[in-house]
Structures are given as C-alpha cells and as structure tokens.
Amino acid sequence: MEKKRIYLSSPTIHGDEQRYVQEAFDTNWVAPLGPNVNAFEKEIAAYTQCGYAAALDSGTAAIHLSLKLLGAGQGDFVFVSDLTFSASCNPIVYENATPVFIDAEPDTWNISPEALRKAFEKYPNPKAVICVHLYGTPAKLDEIMAICEEHHVPLIEDAAESLGSTYKGKHTGTLGKYGIYSFNGNKIITTSGGGMFVSAEEAATKKATFLATQARDPARHYQHSHIGYNYRMSNITAGIGRGQLLHLEEHKARKKAIYEQYREAFADISEITMNPLNPDGDANCWLSCMTIAEGCKITPDMIMDALAEENIETRPIWKPMHMQPVFERCDFIPHNEDGSSVGTDIFNRGMCLPSDIKNTPEDMELIIRIVRGFFR
Ligand SMILES: *Cc1c(COP(=O)(O)O)cnc(C)c1O
C-alpha cells in the first residue's frame, strides 16, 4: 500500500475561497480585473498596514516592477540576499543590472549588516538593496535600514515567505520603500499563484499597476509611452486570496506550533539546532528548518533520504546564489572576516522539515521519531 504523503508545505483550502470565486463566476468577472482584485488589495493593505497594494500574477513580477520603478538598468548594481530563492534576484538580470550577493548572518539567516557595509565600500552607489525575510524570520531591519538611509539607497523587502511576520510590531514588507508578497502554492497563504506589490506611496503603487497592465496611456485609443507588462492578477485568483486571507492568522498560529513542537522534540539533541527567530520580531514560521552541528557524522541528505522512504517531503536549504552556475560571474560579499560564507555553511548543514499545517499529531510523531533515530 502506498504510504500517506506528508508534505513540506501544501495549500490549505477552507471553503471561503470557493465563495469568492463563485461570486466572480456569477457576476461574469472572469478577467484580470474586477471586484475581488480591488477588494484583495484593500484587504492586504488593511491587514499589513502597508498603505497601498497592487495585485499581480506573481511575487517575481512584484520584484521586477519594484526595480522598474527605481529605474534599475545596465551599469547598475543591486545588492541582494545571497541565501534565497532565485526569484529574489532574477528580475535584476531582466533589467540588465548586476546583482551583488550579500552573505547571510547567523542570527536570523538574513542579509548581514556587516557584509552590507563592506559591499557599500566596494560599490558605493547601488540602485537598490533587496532584503529577504527567509523562511518567515524577519531580517535585522533596523541595522539594514540605517545603512540604506546613510547611503540614500532604497530598500526593497522580499517578504514572499514572510506574510504575517512582524518586526517591532510592523509587518515585514512595509518597512522598506517597496515590499512584495507571494501567494504561490506553497506559501503561507496561496492564490494558486500570485503576488502583491506594496508601498506607502500611492503614486508608486498606481505606477506599478499601470506597468502591470501593458502601460496604456489614459487615452481613448491604444497609446503607449512606456513598455508595459501583462502582470495583473486575475479576479478568480484574487477570490482565492480573499478567502485565504481570512485564515492567515490561523495558518501562522499552526506554523508556529509546528516550529515549537520540533524545537521541543529536538531540545535534548545537542547536534540539532532549529532555524533562528528574530527576538525583535514575530515570525510566521513558514518553514521549520534545522541544522546539524559541525563535525557530526549525520548529514542532511541522510535524514532527507530516510524521510523520503516514508513518503515524507523535505527540502534542502536554498542553495546560495553565489554558488549557482548562472551567477558564477557575480560578486559575493561574505559575512566572515576570513572570507568564508555563512550561507554556504547553513546550506551544507541544514534542511527544511515538513511544515504543512495539515500534518496530524501522528504525522509529526513519525517525522520526529525518524529524525531522532539518527542521534541515538
Ligand atoms: C516564492 C518566492 C519568491 C517568488 O514568488 P512567486 O510568487 O513564486 O513569483 C520570491 N522570493 C522568495 C524568497 C520566495 O520564496
């Protein structure tokens, strides 16, 4: 008999989504605009207190438009977290700008303020800094924002993984000049696929929407003074998002409980450390991760293989961008004085644990038993 699949992080649908989608069908709003799109933007803005929001068809599109708004292009450098998913930095290359990868620090696994300072010494005038809140843990935003302000460089927060996480009481994604969220299938809430651009600036948000809808000038005939994109969210997927948003706090509470359960279950195993949380923030705990102590004979691959045999899904830590073949010509600024990379170390010793909020107590027990079995 096929063993039950235990997922890393799969969509959790409640029924409210269907109601909004049905409404869209009933009123024939089956288009990349409509009442669900407008309402979803307002609801995200109200929830995060971001000011203004533009619903797009992906988080990647939101990063791309952020860079467009800042005018990043040929000859510009953009500083970006090194330990992240490639979507954080691909849009830099879409615009022919050059990414400079900034190492992680060990306290939150996010962009290192020390490495960021070093990067500014080497490249004094980058066009932007893109800071990721990895696995839902807020970055050291006070330090990062102070450095950005000192150099008059705008901060883009890639909060794709951290919707619902706060830093000193404020939602991640709302502290920088621009922020982005993702509603991809495995994120804390989903629209099946989608994203959001957010900003305190109404004009910037309007411009993002304009660029996302083919940059049509306000004329009766089809007139264009800019190159536009087809990036708008559909009214159907926005309906899914509205239904999901009603359950975001509940998802966050469940994710945090999963993290806590792993933390307690592995507390007596000195070789295991959970991914860090920022004491200045409240993380959504999107994915629970662990690292294995240096010098331990057990490797993440061994644990991931054993879990896979039980049909349990895991994932390695994101492979740092400076280690990616496609970015091998790009510069990398390490956190450590000796030039070694914190992100590479986390990648080598870490893994993501199943963090699906539909995991039953039995599922959690099974996962924990298998992991613990390695450290007896
Ligand atoms: C998921 C993700 C993105 C991209 O979002 P999409 O909606 O899939 O385009 C960007 N950055 C990070 C860190 C992500 O995890």
Side-chain angles (χ1 to χ4, degrees):
M1 205 183 78
E2 179 86 15
K3 283 171 189 148
K4 179 194 162 188
R5 181 78 169 153
I6 298 176
Y7 291 97
L8 182 81
S9 182
S10 72
T12 301
I13 300 299
H14 302 271
D16 296 299
E17 301 85 355
Q18 190 82 50
R19 187 155 51 80
Y20 291 111
V21 170
Q22 191 59 47
E23 211 170 278
F25 276 89
D26 291 345
T27 53
N28 205 35
W29 277 108
V30 184
L33 77 168
N36 279 336
V37 176
N38 300 338
F40 189 35
E41 288 174 342
K42 289 214 170 68
E43 287 157 8
I44 285 283
Y47 173 78
T48 62
Q49 296 290 297
C50 64
Y52 302 90
L56 305 172
D57 62 7
S58 73
T60 310
I63 298 172
H64 187 195
L65 293 184
S66 302
L67 291 167
K68 287 292 300 182
L69 290 177
L70 297 173
Q74 186 91 48
D76 291 326
F77 292 101
V78 175
F79 296 170
V80 59
S81 299
D82 177 59
L83 185 61
T84 185
F85 178 50
S86 65
S88 301
C89 55
N90 281 338
I92 302 168
V93 182
Y94 301 167
E95 288 306 311
N96 296 310
T98 306
V100 175
F101 297 114
I102 315 294
D103 201 1
E105 40 78 6
D107 302 337
T108 75
W109 290 8
N110 289 306
I111 206 165
S112 152
E114 289 82 358
L116 190 58
R117 256 189 224 103
K118 279 185 250 172
F120 272 106
E121 284 164 22
K122 197 162 173 187
Y123 305 94
N125 295 304
K127 204 71 181 178
V129 173
I130 303 176
C131 148
V132 180
H133 304 292
L134 205 71
Y135 301 126
T137 294
K140 294 183 174 179
L141 281 168
D142 276 352
E143 289 93 326
I144 294 160
M145 290 200 302
I147 298 168
C148 288
E149 274 159 31
E150 184 186 323
H151 294 270
H152 308 287
V153 172
L155 176 69
I156 300 169
E157 283 181 82
D158 177 349
E161 302 178 358
S162 66
L163 179 61
S165 302
T166 57
Y167 178 82
K168 297 190 173 174
K170 290 184 178 152
H171 278 269
T172 56
T174 69
L175 289 100
K177 186 173 176 69
Y178 306 137
I180 78 97
Y181 300 117
S182 167
F183 311 112
N184 206 325
N186 59 20
K187 297 287 163 36
I188 191 155
I189 62 167
T190 183
T191 60
S192 73
M196 195 77 80
F197 168 95
V198 300
S199 175
E201 300 167 21
E202 185 177 18
T205 311
K206 279 203 167 129
K207 182 104 188 270
T209 305
F210 166 77
L211 292 172
T213 48
Q214 308 285 25
R216 258 183 79 186
D217 290 344
R220 182 181 217 177
H221 48 276
Y222 280 74
Q223 177 172 299
H224 302 272
S225 313
H226 296 87
I227 294 297
Y229 300 87
N230 186 2
Y231 277 171
R232 197 70 165 133
M233 181 180 278
S234 122
N235 195 56
I236 303 297
T237 54
I240 304 174
R242 292 184 73 191
Q244 285 272 288
L245 188 54
L246 298 173
H247 299 274
L248 174 54
E249 283 297 314
E250 180 188 322
H251 286 200
K252 179 179 168 183
R254 274 289 296 141
K255 292 272 191 190
K256 287 172 69 131
I258 288 170
Y259 179 93
E260 266 315 301
Q261 192 177 351
Y262 282 132
R263 201 183 56 78
E264 277 168 28
F266 303 144
D268 62 328
I269 302 175
S270 62
E271 293 95 332
I272 296 183
T273 308
M274 292 298 292
N275 61 303
L277 306 178
N278 189 334
D280 288 328
D282 181 36
N284 70 5
C285 296
W286 172 56
L287 292 186
S288 290
C289 309
M290 56 174 263
T291 52
I292 302 167
E294 221 178 298
C296 180
K297 287 190 302 294
I298 311 301
T299 65
D301 277 335
M302 290 161 68
I303 298 177
M304 288 192 283
D305 286 345
L307 289 166
E309 263 184 44
E310 295 298 318
N311 207 16
I312 300 170
E313 186 186 13
T314 57
R315 188 193 269 176
I317 299 296
W318 298 123
K319 183 174 183 178
M321 290 302 114
H322 81 277
M323 297 170 73
Q324 301 288 351
V326 71
F327 295 122
E328 67 188 0
R329 286 161 187 277
C330 296
D331 201 2
F332 167 65
I333 312 292
H335 169 83
N336 293 326
E337 285 303 330
D338 66 3
S340 64
S341 157
V342 170
T344 303
D345 179 49
I346 295 167
F347 169 67
N348 286 334
R349 295 191 292 109
M351 58 172 281
C352 305
L353 291 157
S355 309
D356 197 291
I357 59 175
K358 294 178 296 316
N359 282 355
T360 63
E362 294 74 34
D363 296 339
M364 290 297 291
E365 233 169 78
L366 176 63
I367 299 159
I368 287 164
R369 178 150 42 81
I370 294 169
V371 175
R372 284 187 63 89
F374 278 92
F375 297 93
R376 267 202 294 263

CSV table of all heavy atoms in Angstrom, one decimal, residues 57-61 63 84-85 87-88 132 134 158 160-161 180-184 186-187 193-195 286 318, ligand 1:
chain,number,residue,atom,x,y,z
A,57,ASP,N,0.4,38.8,-10.8
A,57,ASP,CA,0.3,37.4,-11.0
A,57,ASP,C,1.5,36.6,-10.4
A,57,ASP,O,1.4,35.4,-10.5
A,57,ASP,CB,0.1,37.0,-12.5
A,57,ASP,CG,1.2,37.5,-13.4
A,57,ASP,OD1,2.2,37.9,-12.9
A,57,ASP,OD2,1.1,37.4,-14.6
A,58,SER,N,2.4,37.3,-9.8
A,58,SER,CA,3.5,36.6,-9.1
A,58,SER,C,4.2,37.5,-8.2
A,58,SER,O,4.3,38.7,-8.4
A,58,SER,CB,4.4,35.8,-10.0
A,58,SER,OG,5.3,36.8,-10.7
A,59,GLY,N,4.9,37.0,-7.2
A,59,GLY,CA,5.8,37.8,-6.4
A,59,GLY,C,7.0,38.2,-7.2
A,59,GLY,O,7.5,39.3,-7.0
A,60,THR,N,7.5,37.4,-8.1
A,60,THR,CA,8.6,37.7,-9.0
A,60,THR,C,8.3,39.0,-9.8
A,60,THR,O,9.1,39.9,-9.9
A,60,THR,CB,8.9,36.6,-10.0
A,60,THR,OG1,9.0,35.4,-9.2
A,60,THR,CG2,10.2,36.8,-10.7
A,61,ALA,N,7.0,39.1,-10.3
A,61,ALA,CA,6.6,40.3,-11.1
A,61,ALA,C,6.7,41.5,-10.2
A,61,ALA,O,7.0,42.6,-10.6
A,61,ALA,CB,5.2,40.1,-11.6
A,63,ILE,N,8.7,42.0,-7.7
A,63,ILE,CA,10.1,42.4,-7.5
A,63,ILE,C,10.6,43.1,-8.8
A,63,ILE,O,11.2,44.2,-8.8
A,63,ILE,CB,11.0,41.2,-7.3
A,63,ILE,CG1,10.7,40.5,-5.9
A,63,ILE,CG2,12.5,41.6,-7.2
A,63,ILE,CD1,11.4,39.2,-5.6
A,84,THR,N,18.8,32.7,-0.6
A,84,THR,CA,17.4,32.9,-1.0
A,84,THR,C,17.1,32.0,-2.2
A,84,THR,O,17.9,31.3,-2.7
A,84,THR,CB,17.2,34.4,-1.3
A,84,THR,OG1,15.8,34.6,-1.5
A,84,THR,CG2,17.9,34.9,-2.5
A,85,PHE,N,15.9,32.2,-2.7
A,85,PHE,CA,15.4,31.6,-3.9
A,85,PHE,C,15.7,32.5,-5.0
A,85,PHE,O,15.7,33.7,-4.9
A,85,PHE,CB,13.8,31.4,-3.7
A,85,PHE,CG,13.2,30.8,-4.9
A,85,PHE,CD1,13.7,29.6,-5.5
A,85,PHE,CD2,12.0,31.3,-5.5
A,85,PHE,CE1,13.0,29.1,-6.6
A,85,PHE,CE2,11.4,30.8,-6.6
A,85,PHE,CZ,11.9,29.7,-7.2
A,87,ALA,N,14.2,33.7,-7.4
A,87,ALA,CA,13.3,34.7,-7.8
A,87,ALA,C,13.6,36.1,-7.2
A,87,ALA,O,13.2,37.1,-7.8
A,87,ALA,CB,11.8,34.3,-7.4
A,88,SER,N,14.3,36.1,-6.1
A,88,SER,CA,14.7,37.3,-5.5
A,88,SER,C,15.6,38.1,-6.4
A,88,SER,O,15.6,39.4,-6.3
A,88,SER,CB,15.5,37.1,-4.2
A,88,SER,OG,14.7,36.3,-3.3
A,132,VAL,N,15.6,39.8,1.9
A,132,VAL,CA,14.7,38.7,2.0
A,132,VAL,C,14.5,38.4,3.5
A,132,VAL,O,15.4,38.5,4.3
A,132,VAL,CB,15.2,37.4,1.3
A,132,VAL,CG1,14.2,36.3,1.4
A,132,VAL,CG2,15.5,37.7,-0.2
A,134,LEU,N,13.9,35.3,5.3
A,134,LEU,CA,14.0,33.9,4.9
A,134,LEU,C,13.2,33.0,5.8
A,134,LEU,O,13.3,33.1,7.0
A,134,LEU,CB,15.5,33.4,4.9
A,134,LEU,CG,15.8,32.3,4.0
A,134,LEU,CD1,15.7,32.7,2.5
A,134,LEU,CD2,17.1,31.7,4.3
A,158,ASP,N,11.8,41.7,0.1
A,158,ASP,CA,11.2,40.5,-0.5
A,158,ASP,C,10.6,39.7,0.7
A,158,ASP,O,11.3,38.9,1.4
A,158,ASP,CB,12.3,39.7,-1.2
A,158,ASP,CG,11.8,38.4,-1.7
A,158,ASP,OD1,10.6,38.0,-1.4
A,158,ASP,OD2,12.5,37.7,-2.5
A,160,ALA,N,8.2,37.6,0.4
A,160,ALA,CA,7.4,36.5,-0.3
A,160,ALA,C,7.1,35.3,0.7
A,160,ALA,O,6.1,34.7,0.7
A,160,ALA,CB,8.2,35.9,-1.4
A,161,GLU,N,8.1,35.1,1.6
A,161,GLU,CA,7.9,34.0,2.6
A,161,GLU,C,7.4,34.4,3.9
A,161,GLU,O,7.2,33.6,4.8
A,161,GLU,CB,9.3,33.3,2.8
A,161,GLU,CG,9.8,32.8,1.4
A,161,GLU,CD,11.2,32.1,1.5
A,161,GLU,OE1,11.8,32.1,2.7
A,161,GLU,OE2,11.7,31.7,0.5
A,180,ILE,N,7.2,43.2,-1.3
A,180,ILE,CA,6.5,42.2,-2.1
A,180,ILE,C,6.1,41.0,-1.3
A,180,ILE,O,6.7,40.6,-0.4
A,180,ILE,CB,7.3,41.8,-3.4
A,180,ILE,CG1,8.4,40.7,-3.0
A,180,ILE,CG2,8.0,43.0,-4.0
A,180,ILE,CD1,8.0,39.3,-3.3
A,181,TYR,N,4.9,40.4,-1.7
A,181,TYR,CA,4.4,39.2,-1.1
A,181,TYR,C,4.2,38.2,-2.3
A,181,TYR,O,3.9,38.6,-3.4
A,181,TYR,CB,3.1,39.4,-0.3
A,181,TYR,CG,3.2,40.4,0.8
A,181,TYR,CD1,2.5,41.6,0.8
A,181,TYR,CD2,4.1,40.1,1.9
A,181,TYR,CE1,2.6,42.5,1.9
A,181,TYR,CE2,4.2,41.0,2.9
A,181,TYR,CZ,3.5,42.2,2.9
A,181,TYR,OH,3.6,43.1,4.0
A,182,SER,N,4.2,36.9,-1.9
A,182,SER,CA,3.9,35.9,-2.9
A,182,SER,C,2.8,35.0,-2.4
A,182,SER,O,2.7,34.7,-1.2
A,182,SER,CB,5.1,35.0,-3.1
A,182,SER,OG,4.8,33.8,-3.8
A,183,PHE,N,1.9,34.6,-3.3
A,183,PHE,CA,0.8,33.7,-3.0
A,183,PHE,C,1.0,32.4,-3.8
A,183,PHE,O,0.0,31.8,-4.3
A,183,PHE,CB,-0.5,34.3,-3.3
A,183,PHE,CG,-0.7,35.7,-2.7
A,183,PHE,CD1,-0.7,36.8,-3.5
A,183,PHE,CD2,-0.7,35.9,-1.3
A,183,PHE,CE1,-0.8,38.1,-2.9
A,183,PHE,CE2,-0.8,37.1,-0.7
A,183,PHE,CZ,-0.8,38.3,-1.5
A,184,ASN,N,2.2,32.0,-4.0
A,184,ASN,CA,2.5,30.7,-4.7
A,184,ASN,C,1.9,29.6,-3.9
A,184,ASN,O,1.6,29.7,-2.7
A,184,ASN,CB,4.0,30.5,-4.9
A,184,ASN,CG,4.3,29.7,-6.1
A,184,ASN,OD1,3.5,28.7,-6.4
A,184,ASN,ND2,5.3,30.0,-6.8
A,186,ASN,N,2.9,27.0,-2.3
A,186,ASN,CA,3.5,26.5,-1.1
A,186,ASN,C,3.7,27.6,0.0
A,186,ASN,O,4.1,27.3,1.1
A,186,ASN,CB,4.8,25.8,-1.3
A,186,ASN,CG,5.8,26.7,-2.0
A,186,ASN,OD1,5.7,27.9,-1.9
A,186,ASN,ND2,6.8,26.1,-2.6
A,187,LYS,N,3.3,28.8,-0.3
A,187,LYS,CA,3.5,29.9,0.7
A,187,LYS,C,2.4,29.8,1.8
A,187,LYS,O,1.5,29.0,1.7
A,187,LYS,CB,3.4,31.3,-0.1
A,187,LYS,CG,4.6,31.4,-1.1
A,187,LYS,CD,5.9,31.6,-0.4
A,187,LYS,CE,7.2,31.4,-1.2
A,187,LYS,NZ,7.3,31.8,-2.6
A,193,GLY,N,-1.3,30.9,-7.5
A,193,GLY,CA,-0.1,31.6,-8.0
A,193,GLY,C,-0.5,33.1,-8.0
A,193,GLY,O,-1.5,33.4,-8.5
A,194,GLY,N,0.4,33.9,-7.5
A,194,GLY,CA,0.1,35.3,-7.5
A,194,GLY,C,1.1,36.1,-6.6
A,194,GLY,O,1.9,35.5,-5.9
A,195,GLY,N,1.0,37.4,-6.6
A,195,GLY,CA,1.8,38.2,-5.8
A,195,GLY,C,1.2,39.6,-5.5
A,195,GLY,O,0.2,39.9,-6.1
A,286,TRP,N,7.1,30.1,8.4
A,286,TRP,CA,6.6,29.4,7.2
A,286,TRP,C,7.2,28.0,7.0
A,286,TRP,O,6.4,27.1,6.8
A,286,TRP,CB,6.9,30.3,6.0
A,286,TRP,CG,6.7,29.7,4.7
A,286,TRP,CD1,5.5,29.1,4.3
A,286,TRP,CD2,7.6,29.4,3.6
A,286,TRP,NE1,5.6,28.6,3.0
A,286,TRP,CE2,6.9,28.8,2.6
A,286,TRP,CE3,8.9,29.7,3.4
A,286,TRP,CZ2,7.5,28.4,1.4
A,286,TRP,CZ3,9.5,29.4,2.2
A,286,TRP,CH2,8.8,28.7,1.2
A,318,TRP,N,17.8,26.7,0.7
A,318,TRP,CA,18.0,27.3,-0.6
A,318,TRP,C,19.6,27.3,-0.9
A,318,TRP,O,20.3,27.7,0.0
A,318,TRP,CB,17.6,28.7,-0.7
A,318,TRP,CG,16.1,29.0,-0.5
A,318,TRP,CD1,15.6,29.8,0.5
A,318,TRP,CD2,15.0,28.5,-1.2
A,318,TRP,NE1,14.2,29.8,0.4
A,318,TRP,CE2,13.8,29.1,-0.7
A,318,TRP,CE3,14.9,27.7,-2.4
A,318,TRP,CZ2,12.6,28.8,-1.2
A,318,TRP,CZ3,13.7,27.4,-2.9
A,318,TRP,CH2,12.5,28.0,-2.3
B,1,LIG,C1,8.4,32.3,-3.6
B,1,LIG,C2,9.5,33.4,-3.5
B,1,LIG,C3,9.5,34.4,-4.5
B,1,LIG,C4,8.7,34.4,-5.7
B,1,LIG,O1,7.4,34.5,-5.6
B,1,LIG,P1,6.5,33.9,-6.8
B,1,LIG,O2,5.1,34.3,-6.5
B,1,LIG,O3,6.7,32.4,-6.9
B,1,LIG,O4,6.9,34.6,-8.1
B,1,LIG,C5,10.5,35.4,-4.3
B,1,LIG,N1,11.3,35.4,-3.3
B,1,LIG,C6,11.3,34.4,-2.4
B,1,LIG,C7,12.3,34.5,-1.2
B,1,LIG,C8,10.4,33.3,-2.5
B,1,LIG,O5,10.4,32.3,-1.6
